[in-house]
Amino acid sequence: MGKRCLSVYVAEAVRHHLEMDRLAEIVADFESCHEPLTDTEVEAVAVEMFGHCPPGAA
């Protein structure tokens, strides 16, 4: 893997991590005002966002 490919890979990984951090903040904010999300709700959103339930999720 060349340096440019590695840079793109790292940038994409950082972007994804920041998006997941922001998603966690949104969920925490929601749950602070409402009941916690159920496993079923989390799985449904994972399927909608990713097309499947990620390994290790609920």
Side-chain angles (χ1 to χ4, degrees):
M1 180 181 301
K3 287 183 182 181
R4 177 152 172 73
C5 290
L6 181 59
S7 295
V8 170
Y9 178 82
V10 170
E12 179 64 21
V14 170
R15 183 195 61 75
H16 177 76
H17 186 77
L18 292 173
E19 288 175 351
M20 293 300 103
D21 285 351
R22 179 64 185 131
L23 183 57
E25 290 173 10
I26 291 167
V27 170
D29 185 53
F30 175 87
E31 289 182 334
S32 73
C33 299
H34 302 84
E35 294 181 12
L37 295 172
T38 65
D39 290 348
T40 302
E41 291 168 323
V42 171
E43 289 172 12
V45 171
V47 168
E48 186 174 325
M49 289 178 68
F50 306 113
H52 66 307
C53 189

